[in-house]
C-alpha cells in the first residue's frame, strides 16, 4: 500500500493507493463522527464499512446526475436522517459521485467532512484529489462548485477490476495528461505505481497552489477543448476521451503559435495512440460552437481564448489566443 500526503497545513490529508485500500476506511473516518452518509450509485459493486452508523444514498447514473437538484436531494436526505456537522460523507464512485457528494459535503451545515473512495481510474488519478467539487449548468460544465478538501482519499485499485473497458480507457486519458506534467515512464509502471505517481504529481501541484491562482491550472492541460466537446456534444464522449483529443489539439495549437515543434506534437499523438484513445472528435462537431463554449470557459479572459499550452518553459497558461488560430487548428481534425 502506498500513502501520499496532500500537504495543506491543517487541512493536509493522506491518499492511500493500492489493492484493498478501501478496507482502511474505518481508521480514516474523522474522530468524533457518529454517522457516515455513503453516497454512491446502484451499479457500483463496492460496499464499504465506515466503522460508524452508516446509510447509503444513491445518485442516478451518468453526467446528467451532476446537477444542483442532486445536491439538494442529498442535503435534504442528510437533514431528514439527522446528520450533524461532526458527521461525514463518504463518496464511493467515479467523478460524478466525487463532484456531487463533495459539493453536498461542502455546503451541508456550511461544510462537513468528506472521505473519497474513487472507484474509477479517472477518479483515482484526478477527480478525487485536490478538493474540486461541483456540478454542471445547462450553460456549461462545472460552473457551480467549491474547493472542499477531503479528510482522506482511498484509491483502491481492486475496484478498477470491474470497470467497463471504455470507462477504464477514459481514465487513461487523464493519466496521459501526466506524461506531459513531468511524470516519466508512466506506461512502464505497474497500475498501482502509475496511479501513485499521478497522485503524487497532483498532490505536489495542489499543495503549491490549492485555489488555482497559478500553477494548478496546468492540471487543466487538454481540458479547454475537452469541456467544450463534452458540452456541445451532449456528453456522448467520456471525459478522458475528450481530454485525449484535447491534448492532441493543445499540442497542435502550441505548434501553430510557434511554441513547440512537430516532434513534440508527434509525442502527444504517440502517447494518446498508445493508450488507444481517440485523436479527433466524433463526427458532427462544429468549430464555431466549440469556440463559443471555450470563450465561456472559467479561464477565458477578454480579448482572446485561454489555454494551457506546452512551450519552451513547459506547460503554462496562455491568454489572448486568437479565435482564428483556434479555428485553423480545429480544421486540422478534418484532414
Ligand atoms: N482536475 C483539475 C484539478 O483538480 O485542478
Amino acid at each position: 500500500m502506498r500513502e501520499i500526503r496532500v500537504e495543506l497545513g491543517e487541512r493536509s490529508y493522506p491518499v492511500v493507493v493500492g489493492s484493498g485500500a478501501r478496507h482502511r476506511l474505518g481508521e480514516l473516518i474523522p474522530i468524533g463522527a457518529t454517522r457516515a452518509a455513503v453516497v454512491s450509485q446502484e451499479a457500483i459493486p463496492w460496499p464499504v464499512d465506515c466503522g460508524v452508523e452508516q446509510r447509503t444514498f444513491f445518485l442516478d447514473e451518468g453526467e446528467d446526475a451532476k446537477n444542483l437538484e442532486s445536491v439538494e436531494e442529498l442535503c435534504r436526505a442528510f437533514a431528514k436522517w439527522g446528520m450533524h456537522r461532526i458527521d461525514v460523507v463518504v463518496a464511493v464512485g467515479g467523478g460524478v459521485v466525487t463532484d456531487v457528494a463533495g459539493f453536498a459535503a461542502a455546503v451541508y451545515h456550511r461544510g462537513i467532512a468528506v472521505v473519497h473512495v474513487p472507484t474509477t481510474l479517472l477518479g483515482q488519478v484526478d477527480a478525487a484529489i485536490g478538493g474540486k467539487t461541483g456540478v454542471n449548468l445547462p450553460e456549461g460544465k462545472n460552473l457551480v462548485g467549491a474547493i472542499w478538501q477531503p479528510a482522506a482519499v482511498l484509491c483502491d485499485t481492486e475496484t478498477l477490476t470491474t470497470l467497463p473497458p471504455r470507462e477504464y480507457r477514459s481514465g487513461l486519458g487523464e493519466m496521459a495528461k501526466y506524461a506531459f506534467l513531468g511524470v516519466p515512464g508512466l506506461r512502464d509502471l505497474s497500475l498501482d505505481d502509475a496511479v501513485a505517481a499521478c497522485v503524487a504529481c497532483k498532490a505536489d501541484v495542489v499543495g503549491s497552489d490549492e485555489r488555482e491562482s497559478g500553477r494548478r491550472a496546468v492540471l487543466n492541460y487538454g481540458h479547454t477543448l475537452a469541456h467544450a466537446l463534452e458540452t456541445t456534444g451532449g456528453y456522448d464522449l467520456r471525459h478522458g476521451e475528450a481530454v485525449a483529443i484535447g491534448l492532441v489539439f493543445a499540442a497542435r495549437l502550441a505548434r501553430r503559435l510557434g511554441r513547440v515543434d512537430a516532434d513534440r506534437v508527434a509525442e502527444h499523438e504517440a502517447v494518446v495512440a498508445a493508450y488507444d484513445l481517440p485523436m479527433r472528435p466524433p463526427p458532427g462537431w462544429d468549430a464555431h460552437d466549440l469556440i463559443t463554449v471555450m470563450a465561456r470557459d472559467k479561464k477565458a479572459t477578454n480579448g482572446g481564448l485561454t489555454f494551457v499550452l506546452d512551450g519552451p518553459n513547459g506547460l503554462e497558461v496562455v491568454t489572448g489566443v486568437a479565435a482564428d488560430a483556434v479555428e485553423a487548428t480545429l480544421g486540422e481534425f478534418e484532414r
Side-chain angles (χ1 to χ4, degrees):
M1 213 65 76
R2 296 121 183 100
E3 189 166 321
I4 297 128
R5 275 188 83 70
V6 180
E7 295 291 353
L8 288 166
E10 286 177 354
R11 291 172 299 113
S12 299
Y13 55 92
V15 183
V16 182
V17 180
S19 183
R22 70 188 183 285
H23 300 303
R24 291 201 41 203
L25 181 58
E27 67 190 82
L28 290 168
I29 291 289
I31 293 164
T34 58
R35 288 179 172 189
V38 178
V39 179
S40 192
Q41 288 166 320
E42 280 185 89
I44 292 168
W46 298 103
V48 290
D49 180 357
C50 303
V52 294
E53 187 187 356
Q54 66 184 73
R55 190 176 282 193
T56 301
F57 302 88
F58 290 118
L59 297 175
D60 290 341
E61 301 297 323
E63 183 80 17
D64 286 349
K66 216 176 113 169
N67 57 34
L68 283 168
E69 199 183 331
S70 299
V71 175
E72 181 180 351
E73 280 172 13
L74 274 184
C75 289
R76 291 184 65 184
F78 297 166
K80 281 186 195 135
W81 189 33
M83 281 181 72
H84 297 299
R85 196 176 283 175
I86 51 164
D87 293 327
V88 60
V89 172
V90 176
V92 182
V96 169
V97 174
T98 302
D99 276 338
V100 176
F103 187 45
V107 293
Y108 184 71
H109 279 256
R110 299 198 183 87
I112 66 171
V114 60
V115 174
H116 291 306
V117 185
T119 60
T120 62
L121 183 55
L122 200 141
Q124 295 189 1
V125 299
D126 186 53
I129 322 290
K132 279 193 181 173
T133 71
V135 294
N136 302 332
L137 294 179
E139 288 74 16
K141 273 177 69 80
N142 299 328
L143 287 183
V144 178
I147 299 230
W148 188 247
Q149 298 296 341
V153 183
L154 298 167
C155 298
D156 187 342
T157 49
E158 190 186 349
T159 65
L160 306 180
T161 57
T162 54
L163 278 186
R166 192 172 171 204
E167 185 59 49
Y168 184 80
R169 220 160 44 97
S170 169
L172 293 176
E174 203 65 64
M175 195 177 254
K177 174 187 82 178
Y178 287 96
F180 305 103
L181 275 159
V183 179
L186 257 184
R187 292 198 66 240
D188 301 328
L189 299 178
S190 69
L191 177 62
D192 286 12
D193 285 338
V195 172
C198 295
V199 168
C201 177
K202 180 151 186 183
D204 180 50
V205 173
V206 170
S208 67
D209 178 25
E210 181 188 12
R211 301 201 65 85
E212 202 169 308
S213 38
R215 185 180 172 215
R216 183 166 178 166
V218 299
L219 295 171
N220 297 320
Y221 191 42
H223 283 60
T224 308
L225 178 64
H227 286 166
L229 284 168
E230 290 174 282
T231 303
T232 59
Y235 304 115
D236 54 1
L237 268 178
R238 298 292 165 99
H239 178 66
E241 294 170 340
V243 170
I245 299 164
L247 292 173
V248 171
F249 169 79
R252 291 178 184 169
L253 180 60
R255 186 179 177 212
R256 185 171 292 275
L257 298 176
R259 300 175 56 85
V260 299
D261 59 17
D263 288 350
R264 189 62 172 158
V265 176
E267 260 180 67
H268 282 69
E269 291 169 351
V271 168
V272 168
Y275 283 126
D276 196 22
L277 288 158
M279 292 213 270
R280 63 177 66 227
W285 58 276
D286 179 275
H288 290 104
D289 288 351
L290 289 171
I291 291 170
T292 301
V293 174
M294 287 193 278
R296 210 189 281 152
D297 191 277
K298 289 194 287 300
K299 295 172 288 300
T301 55
N302 291 336
L305 288 89
T306 300
F307 292 89
V308 177
L309 294 178
D310 204 357
N313 304 317
L315 298 185
E316 58 191 356
V317 177
V318 179
T319 57
V321 178
D324 286 358
V326 175
E327 190 173 352
T329 309
L330 286 170
E332 292 181 36
F333 285 132
E334 277 164 348
R335 287 185 203 147

